[in-house]
Amino acid sequence: METTRRAPMSGRKAQAARNDELIREAARAVFTADPGAPISAVAEHAGVGISALYRRYKSKEDLLQKLADEGMDRYLAEVEAALDDDGDAWEVFAGFMRRCLDIGAGSLTMRLAGGFEVTEAMSHKGREIHRATERLLERTREAGVLRPGIEVGDISVMLEYLHAIRIGDDERMSRVQHRYLALMLDGLHLVGKGELPGPPPTWQELRSRYDD
């Protein structure tokens, strides 16, 4: 079968694509550290001119929307990959959690909440993510390897807390984050334990943090 090859980008388009990736990487780093940072700090961190940034994003809010939407896409891809994995139920779930930590899923949720308008498309994607995560948790519970009472809101808050850890350089920080994820996973794996105090965060509670 003949494979259609995508034409290589011109030098100018390739440079623009590299600049866009640099800007988004810089924005994730800058706004995770300080959500109130000006958009000029992103350009400085990325090593590009402010005009190059404004050619792609008309405002800070526009950039924040892009980062949030991109993060949702990355998380959704991970939960769908876990649902497609027919391996050991606990290892699939634990691997999903580790990958979410590695890709930064949830790292900007609390930091950026209220900083941009949530579009209807983003709300729809959020509900899709919630349903997919529910399916993964239900499957893990049915396998008898997940502590009763664990819901989607618990997973969201856990990932947010893990990403809030800021100790040492990037390598040290990652090791510390995974250390505490391992402890959390042990707690999630404690089947047959008593009921947890208080209900988990609901979808409405999680969603409401994005409103001004």
PDB file of all heavy atoms in Angstrom, residues 111-131:
ATOM      1  N   ARG A 111      -3.518  26.140  39.538  1.00  0.00           N
ATOM      2  CA  ARG A 111      -2.715  27.339  39.351  1.00  0.00           C
ATOM      3  C   ARG A 111      -3.388  28.333  38.407  1.00  0.00           C
ATOM      4  O   ARG A 111      -3.267  29.532  38.584  1.00  0.00           O
ATOM      5  CB  ARG A 111      -1.333  26.966  38.798  1.00  0.00           C
ATOM      6  CG  ARG A 111      -0.557  25.993  39.649  1.00  0.00           C
ATOM      7  CD  ARG A 111      -0.158  26.595  40.972  1.00  0.00           C
ATOM      8  NE  ARG A 111       1.012  27.452  40.852  1.00  0.00           N
ATOM      9  CZ  ARG A 111       1.421  28.271  41.821  1.00  0.00           C
ATOM     10  NH1 ARG A 111       0.735  28.370  42.939  1.00  0.00           N
ATOM     11  NH2 ARG A 111       2.501  29.001  41.654  1.00  0.00           N
ATOM     12  N   LEU A 112      -4.056  27.819  37.378  1.00  0.00           N
ATOM     13  CA  LEU A 112      -4.638  28.694  36.372  1.00  0.00           C
ATOM     14  C   LEU A 112      -6.136  28.887  36.527  1.00  0.00           C
ATOM     15  O   LEU A 112      -6.732  29.669  35.786  1.00  0.00           O
ATOM     16  CB  LEU A 112      -4.347  28.141  34.971  1.00  0.00           C
ATOM     17  CG  LEU A 112      -2.875  27.933  34.612  1.00  0.00           C
ATOM     18  CD1 LEU A 112      -2.750  27.477  33.163  1.00  0.00           C
ATOM     19  CD2 LEU A 112      -2.059  29.191  34.850  1.00  0.00           C
ATOM     20  N   ALA A 113      -6.752  28.165  37.445  1.00  0.00           N
ATOM     21  CA  ALA A 113      -8.210  28.235  37.603  1.00  0.00           C
ATOM     22  C   ALA A 113      -8.659  29.678  37.797  1.00  0.00           C
ATOM     23  O   ALA A 113      -8.113  30.412  38.616  1.00  0.00           O
ATOM     24  CB  ALA A 113      -8.649  27.385  38.791  1.00  0.00           C
ATOM     25  N   GLY A 114      -9.647  30.094  37.002  1.00  0.00           N
ATOM     26  CA  GLY A 114     -10.168  31.444  37.083  1.00  0.00           C
ATOM     27  C   GLY A 114      -9.403  32.461  36.259  1.00  0.00           C
ATOM     28  O   GLY A 114      -9.785  33.627  36.199  1.00  0.00           O
ATOM     29  N   GLY A 115      -8.330  32.019  35.610  1.00  0.00           N
ATOM     30  CA  GLY A 115      -7.506  32.944  34.840  1.00  0.00           C
ATOM     31  C   GLY A 115      -7.893  33.071  33.387  1.00  0.00           C
ATOM     32  O   GLY A 115      -7.295  33.869  32.661  1.00  0.00           O
ATOM     33  N   PHE A 116      -8.876  32.299  32.946  1.00  0.00           N
ATOM     34  CA  PHE A 116      -9.302  32.358  31.553  1.00  0.00           C
ATOM     35  C   PHE A 116     -10.734  31.847  31.443  1.00  0.00           C
ATOM     36  O   PHE A 116     -11.226  31.143  32.323  1.00  0.00           O
ATOM     37  CB  PHE A 116      -8.385  31.520  30.653  1.00  0.00           C
ATOM     38  CG  PHE A 116      -8.325  30.067  31.051  1.00  0.00           C
ATOM     39  CD1 PHE A 116      -9.195  29.136  30.493  1.00  0.00           C
ATOM     40  CD2 PHE A 116      -7.402  29.623  31.990  1.00  0.00           C
ATOM     41  CE1 PHE A 116      -9.157  27.808  30.860  1.00  0.00           C
ATOM     42  CE2 PHE A 116      -7.358  28.286  32.363  1.00  0.00           C
ATOM     43  CZ  PHE A 116      -8.230  27.376  31.798  1.00  0.00           C
ATOM     44  N   GLU A 117     -11.371  32.211  30.352  1.00  0.00           N
ATOM     45  CA  GLU A 117     -12.744  31.761  30.113  1.00  0.00           C
ATOM     46  C   GLU A 117     -12.745  30.312  29.635  1.00  0.00           C
ATOM     47  O   GLU A 117     -11.971  29.943  28.760  1.00  0.00           O
ATOM     48  CB  GLU A 117     -13.409  32.642  29.063  1.00  0.00           C
ATOM     49  CG  GLU A 117     -14.849  32.258  28.771  1.00  0.00           C
ATOM     50  CD  GLU A 117     -15.474  33.103  27.684  1.00  0.00           C
ATOM     51  OE1 GLU A 117     -14.797  34.039  27.202  1.00  0.00           O
ATOM     52  OE2 GLU A 117     -16.620  32.820  27.307  1.00  0.00           O
ATOM     53  N   VAL A 118     -13.605  29.506  30.225  1.00  0.00           N
ATOM     54  CA  VAL A 118     -13.741  28.114  29.816  1.00  0.00           C
ATOM     55  C   VAL A 118     -14.761  28.044  28.687  1.00  0.00           C
ATOM     56  O   VAL A 118     -15.917  28.432  28.865  1.00  0.00           O
ATOM     57  CB  VAL A 118     -14.183  27.226  30.990  1.00  0.00           C
ATOM     58  CG1 VAL A 118     -14.400  25.793  30.520  1.00  0.00           C
ATOM     59  CG2 VAL A 118     -13.154  27.271  32.104  1.00  0.00           C
ATOM     60  N   THR A 119     -14.328  27.589  27.534  1.00  0.00           N
ATOM     61  CA  THR A 119     -15.220  27.509  26.383  1.00  0.00           C
ATOM     62  C   THR A 119     -16.148  26.293  26.520  1.00  0.00           C
ATOM     63  O   THR A 119     -15.884  25.375  27.309  1.00  0.00           O
ATOM     64  CB  THR A 119     -14.419  27.377  25.083  1.00  0.00           C
ATOM     65  OG1 THR A 119     -13.717  26.119  25.091  1.00  0.00           O
ATOM     66  CG2 THR A 119     -13.413  28.513  24.938  1.00  0.00           C
ATOM     67  N   GLU A 120     -17.214  26.300  25.730  1.00  0.00           N
ATOM     68  CA  GLU A 120     -18.133  25.161  25.738  1.00  0.00           C
ATOM     69  C   GLU A 120     -17.422  23.894  25.288  1.00  0.00           C
ATOM     70  O   GLU A 120     -17.676  22.802  25.803  1.00  0.00           O
ATOM     71  CB  GLU A 120     -19.324  25.444  24.830  1.00  0.00           C
ATOM     72  CG  GLU A 120     -20.372  24.326  24.826  1.00  0.00           C
ATOM     73  CD  GLU A 120     -20.908  23.985  26.214  1.00  0.00           C
ATOM     74  OE1 GLU A 120     -21.087  24.905  27.023  1.00  0.00           O
ATOM     75  OE2 GLU A 120     -21.123  22.786  26.485  1.00  0.00           O
ATOM     76  N   ALA A 121     -16.500  24.036  24.315  1.00  0.00           N
ATOM     77  CA  ALA A 121     -15.748  22.871  23.839  1.00  0.00           C
ATOM     78  C   ALA A 121     -14.889  22.296  24.957  1.00  0.00           C
ATOM     79  O   ALA A 121     -14.768  21.066  25.101  1.00  0.00           O
ATOM     80  CB  ALA A 121     -14.878  23.261  22.649  1.00  0.00           C
ATOM     81  N   MET A 122     -14.289  23.147  25.774  1.00  0.00           N
ATOM     82  CA  MET A 122     -13.476  22.678  26.890  1.00  0.00           C
ATOM     83  C   MET A 122     -14.333  21.999  27.947  1.00  0.00           C
ATOM     84  O   MET A 122     -13.936  20.981  28.526  1.00  0.00           O
ATOM     85  CB  MET A 122     -12.691  23.837  27.490  1.00  0.00           C
ATOM     86  CG  MET A 122     -11.615  24.395  26.559  1.00  0.00           C
ATOM     87  SD  MET A 122     -10.814  25.882  27.218  1.00  0.00           S
ATOM     88  CE  MET A 122      -9.873  25.177  28.562  1.00  0.00           C
ATOM     89  N   SER A 123     -15.520  22.561  28.203  1.00  0.00           N
ATOM     90  CA  SER A 123     -16.423  21.928  29.172  1.00  0.00           C
ATOM     91  C   SER A 123     -16.842  20.540  28.693  1.00  0.00           C
ATOM     92  O   SER A 123     -16.903  19.586  29.476  1.00  0.00           O
ATOM     93  CB  SER A 123     -17.667  22.797  29.385  1.00  0.00           C
ATOM     94  OG  SER A 123     -17.338  23.978  30.059  1.00  0.00           O
ATOM     95  N   HIS A 124     -17.130  20.433  27.397  1.00  0.00           N
ATOM     96  CA  HIS A 124     -17.498  19.139  26.823  1.00  0.00           C
ATOM     97  C   HIS A 124     -16.348  18.143  26.972  1.00  0.00           C
ATOM     98  O   HIS A 124     -16.562  16.981  27.341  1.00  0.00           O
ATOM     99  CB  HIS A 124     -17.867  19.309  25.352  1.00  0.00           C
ATOM    100  CG  HIS A 124     -18.179  18.019  24.652  1.00  0.00           C
ATOM    101  ND1 HIS A 124     -19.391  17.358  24.792  1.00  0.00           N
ATOM    102  CD2 HIS A 124     -17.419  17.238  23.820  1.00  0.00           C
ATOM    103  CE1 HIS A 124     -19.367  16.244  24.094  1.00  0.00           C
ATOM    104  NE2 HIS A 124     -18.187  16.152  23.488  1.00  0.00           N
ATOM    105  N   LYS A 125     -15.133  18.602  26.697  1.00  0.00           N
ATOM    106  CA  LYS A 125     -13.973  17.718  26.822  1.00  0.00           C
ATOM    107  C   LYS A 125     -13.748  17.319  28.279  1.00  0.00           C
ATOM    108  O   LYS A 125     -13.380  16.177  28.574  1.00  0.00           O
ATOM    109  CB  LYS A 125     -12.732  18.419  26.272  1.00  0.00           C
ATOM    110  CG  LYS A 125     -11.530  17.497  26.099  1.00  0.00           C
ATOM    111  CD  LYS A 125     -10.345  18.245  25.505  1.00  0.00           C
ATOM    112  CE  LYS A 125     -10.651  18.747  24.108  1.00  0.00           C
ATOM    113  NZ  LYS A 125      -9.491  19.450  23.496  1.00  0.00           N
ATOM    114  N   GLY A 126     -14.011  18.248  29.193  1.00  0.00           N
ATOM    115  CA  GLY A 126     -13.875  17.930  30.609  1.00  0.00           C
ATOM    116  C   GLY A 126     -14.833  16.829  31.036  1.00  0.00           C
ATOM    117  O   GLY A 126     -14.461  15.933  31.801  1.00  0.00           O
ATOM    118  N   ARG A 127     -16.059  16.896  30.544  1.00  0.00           N
ATOM    119  CA  ARG A 127     -17.033  15.840  30.870  1.00  0.00           C
ATOM    120  C   ARG A 127     -16.613  14.507  30.253  1.00  0.00           C
ATOM    121  O   ARG A 127     -16.798  13.443  30.867  1.00  0.00           O
ATOM    122  CB  ARG A 127     -18.424  16.244  30.385  1.00  0.00           C
ATOM    123  CG  ARG A 127     -19.036  17.404  31.177  1.00  0.00           C
ATOM    124  CD  ARG A 127     -20.484  17.639  30.824  1.00  0.00           C
ATOM    125  NE  ARG A 127     -20.646  18.176  29.488  1.00  0.00           N
ATOM    126  CZ  ARG A 127     -20.665  19.478  29.201  1.00  0.00           C
ATOM    127  NH1 ARG A 127     -20.502  20.369  30.163  1.00  0.00           N
ATOM    128  NH2 ARG A 127     -20.839  19.894  27.961  1.00  0.00           N
ATOM    129  N   GLU A 128     -16.044  14.563  29.058  1.00  0.00           N
ATOM    130  CA  GLU A 128     -15.556  13.340  28.414  1.00  0.00           C
ATOM    131  C   GLU A 128     -14.426  12.716  29.229  1.00  0.00           C
ATOM    132  O   GLU A 128     -14.375  11.493  29.426  1.00  0.00           O
ATOM    133  CB  GLU A 128     -15.066  13.684  27.001  1.00  0.00           C
ATOM    134  CG  GLU A 128     -14.627  12.473  26.186  1.00  0.00           C
ATOM    135  CD  GLU A 128     -14.153  12.865  24.791  1.00  0.00           C
ATOM    136  OE1 GLU A 128     -14.172  14.064  24.443  1.00  0.00           O
ATOM    137  OE2 GLU A 128     -13.728  11.945  24.054  1.00  0.00           O
ATOM    138  N   ILE A 129     -13.525  13.550  29.716  1.00  0.00           N
ATOM    139  CA  ILE A 129     -12.429  13.087  30.564  1.00  0.00           C
ATOM    140  C   ILE A 129     -12.973  12.468  31.847  1.00  0.00           C
ATOM    141  O   ILE A 129     -12.513  11.407  32.288  1.00  0.00           O
ATOM    142  CB  ILE A 129     -11.486  14.265  30.892  1.00  0.00           C
ATOM    143  CG1 ILE A 129     -10.626  14.603  29.671  1.00  0.00           C
ATOM    144  CG2 ILE A 129     -10.602  13.953  32.094  1.00  0.00           C
ATOM    145  CD1 ILE A 129      -9.824  15.881  29.819  1.00  0.00           C
ATOM    146  N   HIS A 130     -13.966  13.119  32.444  1.00  0.00           N
ATOM    147  CA  HIS A 130     -14.552  12.625  33.691  1.00  0.00           C
ATOM    148  C   HIS A 130     -15.161  11.240  33.481  1.00  0.00           C
ATOM    149  O   HIS A 130     -14.934  10.324  34.287  1.00  0.00           O
ATOM    150  CB  HIS A 130     -15.617  13.615  34.174  1.00  0.00           C
ATOM    151  CG  HIS A 130     -15.999  13.441  35.600  1.00  0.00           C
ATOM    152  ND1 HIS A 130     -16.956  12.545  36.014  1.00  0.00           N
ATOM    153  CD2 HIS A 130     -15.556  14.045  36.730  1.00  0.00           C
ATOM    154  CE1 HIS A 130     -17.100  12.608  37.326  1.00  0.00           C
ATOM    155  NE2 HIS A 130     -16.264  13.509  37.795  1.00  0.00           N
ATOM    156  N   ARG A 131     -15.911  11.084  32.402  1.00  0.00           N
ATOM    157  CA  ARG A 131     -16.547   9.785  32.131  1.00  0.00           C
ATOM    158  C   ARG A 131     -15.505   8.700  31.858  1.00  0.00           C
ATOM    159  O   ARG A 131     -15.658   7.562  32.331  1.00  0.00           O
ATOM    160  CB  ARG A 131     -17.507   9.913  30.948  1.00  0.00           C
ATOM    161  CG  ARG A 131     -18.773  10.710  31.258  1.00  0.00           C
ATOM    162  CD  ARG A 131     -19.799  10.565  30.143  1.00  0.00           C
ATOM    163  NE  ARG A 131     -19.323  11.161  28.898  1.00  0.00           N
ATOM    164  CZ  ARG A 131     -19.571  12.411  28.527  1.00  0.00           C
ATOM    165  NH1 ARG A 131     -20.278  13.211  29.315  1.00  0.00           N
ATOM    166  NH2 ARG A 131     -19.126  12.870  27.374  1.00  0.00           N
TER     167      ARG A 131
END
